[in-house]
Amino acid sequence: MKWIPQLPYQSTIRIAVLALLGMVFPNPSDARNAPLSDGVVNLSESLSIEAPGRADKRPEVLVVGNVVHTFWFKARAEGGHAVCYRRSLDRGDTWEPTYEYYQNDLEIRDVVVSSVGKHLAVENGRVHLVFGAYGGEGGGWYGELVYLRSVNDGASFDDPRILWSSGGDGPSSPWHAYNPRVIGSGDRLAICYRRQANWYNHLSAHVLTSTDGGSSFLDVEAASGGEGGSWSIEDFHSKGDQIAMLYKQSAASFGLTKGDLYLSVSTDGGQSFKQTKISVPSSNGVDKVHPSHDEHYSATIGGAES
């Protein structure tokens, strides 16, 4: 039998204490935060985080060459939300003043803050901002899709244009414009969004395309669906003549989520679309597609020019 030396009782205690101290107070070289960059900037420059009624939401950023473009929604202390844009011409070293859009009249009453949208696109020196909003007066309201364009790379913006409004259905037309996404690719600008009535949930998803930098748009219904469950646009892709929109219908059943996933594809630049169900049922015959995003957008589809 091999002899194993035994440590004295006091040595054993000292080793145990040293090991415990090493766990509680690790070597600083083993756990160190990265140094804070000197380029960190408070882009919104709003009041302190404790200020009532002030909040910045859903930020987005695009970098094109040396220009950094940013977008976010701002909750106003007076009520409602504003659309904010800010740019840097030197890769973030310095920043120009914030462009803030807010309107509260009969035409555009409030801005819809979309949780997982893509509201900012840049192409050929033009900046495009797209978002849902509401118009109306008194107790009446109606949904709209609003478009802001800059033709000088974000130095200034044109007056807002309403690309779609349900106000033509009457003074109180309770429709919403949800899930907006905008992409600038090559010489084509593509926008998708979902129209939803206030009294039932169905799908009417539209894609708008422009080949003249946003001066005019072709509006095509890319997908439609009946009532039941909850519809949402999950992602949007545009490259060359190929445009793809991922969308789903979900519903709760005995505490579980059912979800059907579809893809609507155009190969002619947005003039026509073909819809295909791409999810498959589980062993009990029910599709179970889970949400694609949390509070922020993440790409879920990709493609190449056909």
Side-chain angles (χ1 to χ4, degrees):
M1 177 180 298
K2 185 177 181 180
W3 179 75
I4 301 176
Q6 300 292 320
L7 292 174
Y9 177 76
Q10 293 83 354
S11 299
T12 303
I13 293 296
R14 282 196 291 270
I15 293 173
V17 170
L18 289 173
L20 181 60
L21 289 175
M23 296 173 61
V24 177
F25 303 102
N27 188 329
S29 63
D30 296 333
R32 181 179 300 170
N33 291 328
L36 189 63
S37 169
D38 293 334
V40 174
V41 177
N42 178 5
L43 292 179
S44 64
E45 297 180 348
S46 57
L47 301 178
S48 67
I49 195 170
E50 293 83 8
R54 295 295 295 269
D56 300 319
K57 306 176 181 179
R58 314 302 185 243
E60 299 178 33
V61 60
L62 282 176
V63 181
V64 182
N66 292 332
V67 184
V68 184
H69 306 267
T70 60
F71 168 94
W72 69 93
F73 293 103
K74 183 183 80 173
R76 304 174 72 251
E78 304 84 353
H81 293 85
V83 168
C84 297
Y85 166 86
R86 197 173 186 185
R87 71 171 184 171
S88 167
L89 299 177
D90 50 16
R91 301 183 180 181
D93 288 338
T94 60
W95 292 85
E96 296 185 350
T98 301
Y99 166 79
E100 183 173 319
Y101 167 76
Y102 174 75
Q103 187 169 332
N104 185 14
D105 55 25
L106 302 185
E107 186 178 41
I108 301 175
R109 194 170 71 179
D110 195 15
V111 171
V112 177
V113 179
S114 177
S115 59
V116 285
K118 286 183 66 177
H119 306 86
L120 166 67
V122 180
E123 53 82 33
N124 296 323
R126 293 178 287 258
V127 180
H128 311 274
L129 308 179
V130 178
F131 52 93
Y134 295 107
E137 59 181 323
W141 58 268
Y142 49 85
E144 302 169 319
L145 184 72
V146 183
Y147 171 55
L148 289 167
R149 181 181 69 164
S150 168
V151 296
N152 50 18
D153 210 22
S156 62
F157 283 83
D158 299 338
D159 292 335
R161 289 163 52 195
I162 298 176
L163 300 183
W164 170 77
S165 173
S166 63
D169 297 334
S172 181
S173 303
W175 287 75
H176 310 269
Y178 286 156
N179 306 135
R181 284 175 170 82
V182 56
I183 297 175
S185 176
D187 294 327
R188 178 174 288 107
L189 179 68
I191 300 170
C192 76
Y193 71 103
R194 179 171 60 91
R195 300 177 184 178
Q196 179 180 312
N198 197 48
W199 59 91
Y200 66 94
N201 199 338
H202 80 301
L203 176 70
S204 178
H206 285 246
V207 170
L208 295 86
T209 54
S210 173
T211 56
D212 55 11
S215 296
S216 61
F217 287 91
L218 172 67
D219 187 338
V220 174
E221 187 177 55
S224 61
E227 296 183 43
S230 177
W231 292 94
S232 62
I233 298 176
E234 297 295 296
D235 203 3
F236 189 52
H237 171 85
S238 176
K239 186 175 182 180
D241 286 334
Q242 183 188 70
I243 300 176
M245 182 182 68
L246 190 71
Y247 61 100
K248 74 179 180 72
Q249 181 186 30
S250 59
S253 176
F254 300 102
L256 300 175
T257 299
K258 302 188 297 182
D260 299 328
L261 190 65
Y262 302 84
L263 188 67
S264 180
V265 176
S266 171
T267 58
D268 55 13
Q271 299 182 59
S272 62
F273 286 83
K274 178 181 179 181
Q275 298 79 36
T276 304
K277 180 183 175 184
I278 60 175
S279 61
V280 294
S282 59
S283 58
N284 68 347
V286 177
D287 292 32
K288 298 183 177 70
V289 175
H290 294 280
S292 305
H293 313 277
D294 47 22
E295 286 297 310
H296 297 282
Y297 169 80
S298 58
T300 56
I301 60 175
E305 186 175 352
S306 58

